[in-house]
Amino acid sequence: MDQVAFGVLGPVTAERAGLPLALKGPRHRAVLARLLVARRRVVPVARLVADLWEEPPPTAVGAIRTFVGDLRRALEPGRPPRTPARLLATDGPGYALRAEEVDAWRFETAVGTAAHAEPERAARLLGEALELWRGPAYAEFADEQWCGGERGRLAELRLRAVEQRAEALLAADRAAEAVPDLDAHLTGHPWREEAWRLLALALYRTGRQGDALAVLRRARATLTGRLGVDPGRALRRLEADVLAQDPGLDAPAAREAGAARVWSRAAEAYDRNVAAGARVRLESTVGLLRTLAVTGSGGLAAALEHRLAAITAAEESGDPELTARVIGAYDVPAIWPRSDDETAAARIVGAAERALVRLPATPAQDAARCRLLATIALESRGTGSGRAVAAAAEAEHLARRLDDPALLAFALNGVFMQSCTRTGLAPRRDAVGTELVALAARHGLVTYEVLGHLIRTQARAALSDFTTADAHAGAADRLADRHELPLVRVFTQGYRALRLAATGETEYGRGGTGAADAAYREVGRLLDGPGMPGVRDGLLPLALLCLRLAGRPYGIREAVDPAADWGPYLPWVRPALALAAADETAARDALRGLPEPPADLVQEALWCAVAAVALDLGDRPALRRCLAALRPATGQLAGAGSGLLTAGPVDGWLAAMEEALG
C-alpha cells in the first residue's frame, strides 16, 4: 500500500497516492497535528488531553482513544483486525505517529542540502522547497500553545530560505530574478536586514544604482521608524560601497574576468623571464599542480598525470636534491586511503625511495627526507605495507624534531593514511584529526585544517558521536566555501548520507522512505568527474549494500545487487553474489579463498558483507575469521570510519556470529 503523505505547511492534510484521506472532525485533526509536531516521538495520552482541552471533560481519555481509532482506520484501512497499527502506534503511555513523508521535513532537508550546493542547484532546490508552502504552518492551530514553537521555527526557516534563494541567485549571476521575490518578502517582513541588503545588491548588479541607494534609505527609515534602531554594519557598509562603486560588489563573473586578466598577464611574464629549460620551472609546476589538485572538475586527475611527468623529468636531471624537492612539494592533503592509480603511486614511491638513498646524509636535508618519507606513507595507502607504517612514523619524528608546522601537518597526513592496519582504529585517527585541526588553525594551513575536520567527521561517526561529527562537517564546508575547495563537498555530503543511513535522521529532521538511498545516489553523482576513482569505483553499490544489511545480518541474499559494478570490492562481495545466485557451493569456495580486505576505511564493512554470507551458510571457519577481524571495533559502527557508509553497529554483528558459533 502507498505510504501516507502528511502536509503541515498550511492546513494539516493527509493523502495517499495523491488522494486526500477523510480525517473527520477538528479534534481528529488536532490529534494528528499534535502527533506530527512530536516528530515520531511518543506523546502520552495525558499530554494529548491537556493540549486538546482547556478544561478536560471526564470522558477525555476515552475520546482520545476514539479519535485515534478513527484516525487509524483512515490511515491504514487495510490493516487486519487485532493487528498492531504500524503508522499510528501505541507506545507505552501514549501514541506515536511513525510518519515518513511530511512536507515540512522535506522542506527542511531541501534547505539543508541547498546550504552546501553550488548556486544554480541551491536556487532550484530552495525554489522547489518554498513551493511546498500552502499557507502558514499548522494553519488551523495558530492559537494553540502546543503548536506555537513549531510554527515559529518553521516560519523563521521559511524566511531564511527566501533569503538563501536570493543569495544563490546572486551567486549564479541571476540578480534580476531575485528582485521581485525580495520586494514581496520585505513587504511582509520589513525588519529583515539581510533581505534589505540582498535587494539593494541585486538592484546594483542589474545596473540600478539609484534604486539600490533608495532601497537602503528606505531600510534606514523603516528600521529607525518602526524599531527605533539604526541599520547594522552590513547595510551601512553596503551603502558606502554602492556610493563608491566598489568592484567587490560586481557579479562573480565580472570578478572572475578580472582574475583571468591577472592570471594571463602573470603567465606571459613568467614565460618571458624564466628560461624554458630552467629547473625552477619544475618546482613551479609542482606548486601549480598542488592548486590544480583541489579545484575539482577533473583538476585532480590532471594534477596526478602531470605530477608523474615532473618527477620523471627531475630524476632525469640527475640531481637528487631537485628530485626530492619536486616529489616533496606536492603536499596535497589526502583523506581516502585507497589510491586513485596504484601503478602511478608505486612509481612515485619508487622515485621517493631512490631519492632517499641518493640524498646527502646531512642535517640540511632532514626536511627533504621528511617529505620523502611522508610521500611514501601517503602513496602506499591501503597496501598494509610495513615499510609505509615505518616511513610515516619516521616522518612524524623528523617533523616534530624540526618544529616545522607545515612539515608536521604533511607527516600527520601520512600517519593518518597508515592508521587503517586493522579494524577499530577510529580513536587513533580522531587523535590525529584533533592535532591537525589545532595545528593548521594556529598556523594558517587551510587545506590541512579542512583535512583535520574531515578526519574527525569520519572518526566521530565511527564512534556514533554524530553531534561532534556534524560540527566538523559543517566547519569543513565553511572553509571549503571560503577557499574554493569543491572536492570537500563529496565527503561532507557522503557523511550526511551515512548519518541518514545510521540514524534515519538528518540535521534538520527525519528522512523519508528511501531518503538514504537517494542521498547515496546523489553522492554517486558528485563523484562523477572529479578524478577520484579510488573513492568512486564500487562505492555506491557497497554503500547501498551496507544500507540494506544494517541491522539485518541474515539478509544478504536480498541485499546484494548482482548487476552492480563492484569495482575493487568484488572479491569480498563475490561470496554474496554466489549466494544470491543460489550457488552455495561457489559461495563456500569463495569464502575459503578470500584474501584480507585492504588496509583502508571500509574494511569493517567488507568483513560484515563476508560475515553475512558466513551466517547464512553457517560456515564456522569463516565466522571465526570475521569475528576475530571485527572484535577490535567493538562499540563502533561498522565502516562508518569511512565517513561515507556503514553496515550498522559492530556489536550486533559480533552477537549474531557468537550466537551462530554457540
Side-chain angles (χ1 to χ4, degrees), residues 186-210:
L186 280 163
T187 299
H189 310 282
W191 57 88
R192 306 283 295 189
E193 287 198 44
E194 178 63 4
W196 287 111
R197 185 189 72 82
L198 289 168
L199 177 57
L201 182 57
L203 289 166
Y204 181 84
R205 287 190 181 173
T206 54
R208 298 165 62 183
Q209 180 179 342

Side-chain angles (χ1 to χ4, degrees), residues 283-519:
E283 295 180 68
S284 299
T285 298
V286 177
L288 178 61
L289 296 181
R290 290 165 59 198
T291 302
L292 184 62
V294 297
T295 60
S297 303
L300 178 59
L304 294 176
E305 176 189 351
H306 296 303
R307 179 192 179 195
L308 199 55
I311 291 172
T312 301
E315 281 204 288
E316 288 172 353
S317 75
D319 183 342
E321 295 182 30
L322 174 65
T323 303
R325 290 198 301 274
V326 167
I327 293 172
Y330 189 85
D331 53 356
V332 177
I335 186 65
W336 194 247
R338 175 182 282 279
S339 177
D340 290 319
D341 185 335
E342 292 179 2
T343 301
R347 289 176 61 187
I348 293 168
V349 169
E353 294 282 21
R354 289 189 294 273
L356 274 173
V357 171
R358 296 170 186 164
L359 205 62
T362 63
Q365 298 300 330
D366 280 352
R369 193 177 311 280
C370 178
R371 288 184 171 275
L372 290 171
L373 289 163
T375 299
I376 291 168
L378 283 161
E379 296 301 333
S380 301
R381 64 187 80 177
T383 63
S385 158
R387 165 57 178 157
V389 173
E394 189 178 350
E396 181 186 7
H397 173 75
L398 277 171
R400 292 192 189 280
R401 182 165 61 78
L402 292 167
D403 196 24
D404 183 328
L407 205 54
L408 180 56
F410 190 22
L412 287 173
N413 199 173
V415 171
F416 164 73
M417 278 296 168
Q418 296 305 320
S419 64
C420 308
T421 50
R422 61 167 174 81
T423 65
L425 291 175
R428 182 185 299 177
R429 293 192 291 274
D430 192 38
V432 173
T434 300
E435 182 173 7
L436 265 175
V437 169
L439 175 76
R442 192 162 57 246
H443 296 283
L445 306 171
V446 173
T447 53
Y448 281 103
E449 187 177 356
V450 172
L451 176 65
H453 284 301
L454 291 179
I455 290 172
R456 294 215 67 198
T457 300
Q458 294 173 338
R460 300 316 300 180
L463 299 170
S464 301
D465 178 6
F466 289 105
T467 300
T468 304
D470 286 348
H472 285 286
D477 277 335
R478 288 190 293 276
L479 286 167
D481 289 343
R482 193 179 313 144
H483 299 281
E484 296 182 339
L485 304 171
L487 296 183
V488 172
R489 192 74 60 207
V490 171
F491 296 98
T492 54
Q493 289 296 87
Y495 159 71
R496 292 181 178 95
L498 154 67
R499 187 191 200 282
L500 183 56
T503 68
E505 297 179 350
T506 70
E507 295 138 295
Y508 309 97
R510 299 288 304 182
T513 299
D517 186 294

Side-chain angles (χ1 to χ4, degrees), residues 13 90 98 123 147 191-192 216 221 274 296 339 343 360 366 401 449 460 520 538 556 586 607 621 628 662:
T13 61
T90 300
R98 309 298 189 194
C147 194
W191 57 88
R192 306 283 295 189
L216 290 168
V274 180
S339 177
T343 301
D366 280 352
R401 182 165 61 78
E449 187 177 356
R460 300 316 300 180
Y520 274 127
I556 188 69
W607 278 121

